[in-house]
Amino acid sequence: MSGGRILRVAVNLPSQVDIVDQALQDDFPEVHFLKARAYDELARVLPSCQVLITNNSGYTPEVGRLAVRHAPGLEWIQFTTTGIDTALRSGLPPGAVVTNMRGVRAEVLATHAMALLLGVMRGLHSFEPLRERRQWQRDAMTPFTRALEGGTLVIVGLGSIGSSIARKARAFEMRVVGVSRQGRSAPHCERVVPHTQFREVLPEADALVLALPLTEETFHLLGRNELAHMKPGAVVVNIARGGLIDEPALIAALQQGRLGGAGLDVVESEPLAPDSPLWGMQNVLLTPHIGGRGGVEQDHRLAALLADNLRRFQAGRELRNRVDARTGLALDAHADHPAGDQPSADPPGAGR
């Protein structure tokens, strides 16, 4: 950005996740922040802005057309989310720099993955019907409780999220096998295999965690054939994107008892349809895509990264967490390898 001009920034975020608070605005008195929560507001202000701050779900096809066709001065889009798969499908302007928030949400997402894993393997979901009936049935719970220690966890995607899951799983004395694009060794993993060997390690998994981006190559990564390779009673956890799993195939495996359970923070079509069988399954633990939510402290970290990138943009310096607007692949030479929070190093066949 050349010095001297006024920077106009469109902020298209729901109020509950808007990190552009008054404190951040006060730090940049020379910047005009234009809040545009509704599409018609955004259509009015975006054509005159150099920067758009938005999130993945908010970047709809309508917003994509607006950015591509009617915002010729748009130079940079900052996503406050990690995944940008919806934005990639909606179309990003080829001339704009695109950045995301990968890494910031890694620890809380990893914690949520472990919470789902613990909940399913310890049978917490199975106790809920008993709790509602106020029945203290210890023996009835016993068949649904399993130990984590000594079990094998297969993690698909070894970026900042997957690596954090591996570290936490080792604290529970689990054996960890990783799957990544190139299969290079990684901390806390007994071994790492390339994506070409993804199906080969499935029979080892007492639990499988998906922590990688959704791309054309990873769509329905876990399908009927892959599920058939898993050992009876295995658990599936997905905190990345629902489209990574063939949902009807997963439901069938759960209904037939071939899988021991599933912990899902994401589903293929959100919100989950009221008639989905997943709602009524006692071997399924569901949360409504909240794995990346981490409270006020996380909002401060997100705002800090945004502020740093704003200063870099004003000074004409390279922005952090750049991604390719065509593929979603990380462009930063120093970037963490992805997994759930960036696509560059995770298996294309094996989203946040």
Side-chain angles (χ1 to χ4, degrees), residues 240-257:
R241 287 291 185 267
L244 294 170
I245 299 177
D246 179 343
E247 203 163 281
L250 175 69
I251 290 171
L254 289 165
Q255 289 175 330
Q256 294 163 11

Side-chain angles (χ1 to χ4, degrees), residues 29-115:
E30 72 284 6
V31 176
H32 289 184
F33 292 96
L34 306 169
K35 298 293 182 87
R37 305 200 196 283
Y39 174 79
D40 58 343
E41 297 173 324
L42 186 64
R44 187 170 59 253
V45 303
L46 188 61
S48 65
C49 290
Q50 297 93 8
V51 180
L52 170 62
I53 300 172
T54 187
N55 61 12
N56 183 51
S57 60
Y59 197 96
T60 61
E62 292 75 19
V63 172
R65 287 191 291 270
L66 177 65
V68 171
R69 300 176 184 176
H70 303 293
L74 190 61
E75 300 177 33
W76 166 35
I77 302 176
Q78 171 71 66
F79 286 91
T80 62
T81 47
T82 303
I84 63 166
D85 49 289
T86 298
L88 289 173
R89 292 193 299 271
S90 298
L92 292 161
V97 175
V98 178
T99 57
N100 68 0
M101 288 288 181
R102 66 177 176 272
V104 179
R105 302 177 187 270
E107 290 301 321
V108 70
L109 271 164
T111 298
H112 198 79
M114 292 304 298

Side-chain angles (χ1 to χ4, degrees), residues 223-224 226-228 230 233-234 236 246-261 281 283:
R224 192 176 306 278
E226 290 74 24
L227 288 165
M230 298 187 71
V236 172
D246 179 343
E247 203 163 281
L250 175 69
I251 290 171
L254 289 165
Q255 289 175 330
Q256 294 163 11
R258 289 186 284 112
L259 288 180
M281 291 184 169
N283 55 351

Side-chain angles (χ1 to χ4, degrees), residues 286-310:
L286 291 170
T287 54
H289 204 150
I290 58 169
R293 302 290 173 89
V296 174
E297 290 305 317
Q298 179 176 272
D299 288 346
H300 290 164
R301 291 191 292 272
L302 294 169
L305 177 54
L306 171 59
D308 184 37
N309 264 350
L310 278 169

Side-chain angles (χ1 to χ4, degrees), residues 110-325:
T111 298
H112 198 79
M114 292 304 298
L116 290 172
L117 179 60
L118 285 162
V120 175
M121 294 193 74
R122 297 305 299 161
L124 302 187
H125 51 301
S126 301
F127 183 67
E128 282 304 291
L130 299 175
R131 185 181 66 83
E132 292 175 2
R133 297 195 296 268
R134 304 190 180 195
Q135 296 177 351
W136 189 268
Q137 296 187 12
R138 183 182 182 189
D139 291 341
M141 285 289 298
T142 300
F144 302 104
T145 56
R146 299 167 59 186
L148 273 69
E149 60 270 18
T152 296
L153 176 64
V154 173
I155 303 173
V156 187
L158 289 177
S160 53
I161 297 171
S163 296
S164 180
I165 295 170
R167 187 179 71 253
K168 296 177 193 307
R170 287 295 300 136
F172 283 92
E173 301 181 14
M174 297 192 79
R175 170 177 174 263
V176 179
V177 175
V179 180
S180 69
R181 182 182 291 275
Q182 297 182 353
R184 289 194 294 260
S185 61
H188 313 294
C189 294
E190 180 178 289
R191 79 179 198 277
V192 180
V193 302
H195 68 86
T196 54
Q197 297 178 28
F198 167 59
R199 190 178 291 182
E200 296 176 25
V201 298
L202 287 176
E204 302 179 42
D206 294 291
L208 172 72
V209 175
L210 301 180
L212 72 162
L214 176 64
T215 67
E216 290 183 1
E217 294 174 309
T218 62
F219 178 72
H220 283 187
L221 161 74
L222 190 65
R224 192 176 306 278
N225 290 335
E226 290 74 24
L227 288 165
H229 277 71
M230 298 187 71
K231 67 170 62 174
V235 168
V236 172
V237 173
N238 188 4
I239 45 85
R241 287 291 185 267
L244 294 170
I245 299 177
D246 179 343
E247 203 163 281
L250 175 69
I251 290 171
L254 289 165
Q255 289 175 330
Q256 294 163 11
R258 289 186 284 112
L259 288 180
L264 306 174
D265 185 52
V266 290
V267 292
E268 191 158 3
S269 180
E270 297 180 7
L272 183 63
D275 60 351
S276 170
L278 291 171
W279 287 111
M281 291 184 169
Q282 290 191 23
N283 55 351
V284 174
L285 190 56
L286 291 170
T287 54
H289 204 150
I290 58 169
R293 302 290 173 89
V296 174
E297 290 305 317
Q298 179 176 272
D299 288 346
H300 290 164
R301 291 191 292 272
L302 294 169
L305 177 54
L306 171 59
D308 184 37
N309 264 350
L310 278 169
R311 294 188 184 95
R312 287 168 177 261
F313 185 77
Q314 290 177 306
R317 297 168 55 204
E318 183 175 299
L319 303 182
R320 294 168 59 189
N321 286 8
R322 295 180 304 128
V323 295
D324 190 306

